[in-house]
Amino acid sequence: MTIVTAPQSPPGNVEVPRFQVDVHVMARWDRQILFTRQTAHGCWVLPTSPLQASESATAAVYRIASEQVVVVADPAFTWLAGVQHDHDPAGNRVGLYFEVRRFRGLPVIADRRLYDHLGWFSLDHLPEPMPASLGTALAAYQTPEYYTESGWSR
């Protein structure tokens, strides 16, 4: 029997990309999604945070829901809804969008320095303004398309 192992480093001078992974929480109530409005920019966003080195993506969902909008996401009703590879002046990022269909608690803003409003918005009437990458991800979410790219020239 021959055992094949993967090389420890890429062959030649291939640059291995390193990028941030952002976890986005789509708390759902019927056809509405919970958004928060950023105090600094006035943009509506989903509760989100970079994935920490020591946590799984689903653990990040529970942390973000608890820290940002003070709800407890139910693991049995939390699943990956989409993946986005985003490119902007800040660099490359991968966004993981998780849908949370059941949670405990009434959403409130935990840190008013970060967010000044929260609200439930229908998928048919999304809030404005919002980042273009989020609009792209939510449009794909409403179709069977689970992977999107944003900010790349074609």
Side-chain angles (χ1 to χ4, degrees):
M1 171 163 51
T2 303
I3 298 176
V4 178
T5 59
Q8 296 301 313
S9 60
N13 292 327
V14 176
E15 184 179 341
V16 177
R18 306 238 189 271
F19 27 99
Q20 178 173 306
V21 176
D22 293 325
V23 177
H24 304 267
V25 178
M26 294 190 301
R28 291 284 308 262
W29 189 265
D30 195 23
R31 289 218 13 105
Q32 296 186 348
I33 296 177
L34 180 67
F35 285 84
T36 55
R37 190 173 73 182
Q38 295 175 322
T39 302
H41 304 105
C43 282
W44 289 92
V45 296
L46 299 172
T48 187
S49 176
L51 182 67
Q52 296 176 355
S54 62
E55 70 184 341
S56 69
T58 51
V61 169
Y62 311 135
R63 174 181 57 80
I64 294 163
S66 173
E67 289 178 355
Q68 294 187 16
V69 290
V70 196
V71 296
V72 178
D74 185 335
F77 292 87
T78 300
W79 51 83
L80 183 65
V83 176
Q84 182 176 59
H85 188 192
D86 187 39
H87 177 76
D88 64 20
N92 293 329
R93 292 187 312 280
V94 170
L96 303 176
Y97 291 80
F98 283 86
E99 181 176 322
V100 177
R101 286 284 184 146
R102 186 177 293 172
F103 49 87
R104 286 192 321 269
L106 194 60
V108 296
I109 297 170
D111 188 346
R112 291 241 174 232
R113 293 171 299 173
L114 297 176
Y115 305 111
D116 59 5
H117 286 83
L118 64 77
W120 294 98
F121 293 88
S122 166
L123 287 167
D124 300 326
H125 297 94
L126 295 172
E128 292 183 12
M130 78 167 57
S133 59
L134 178 55
T136 300
L138 291 172
Y141 169 70
Q142 296 181 71
T143 70
E145 192 174 332
Y146 296 102
Y147 174 77
T148 61
E149 294 179 345
S150 177
W152 294 92
S153 59
R154 303 230 181 235

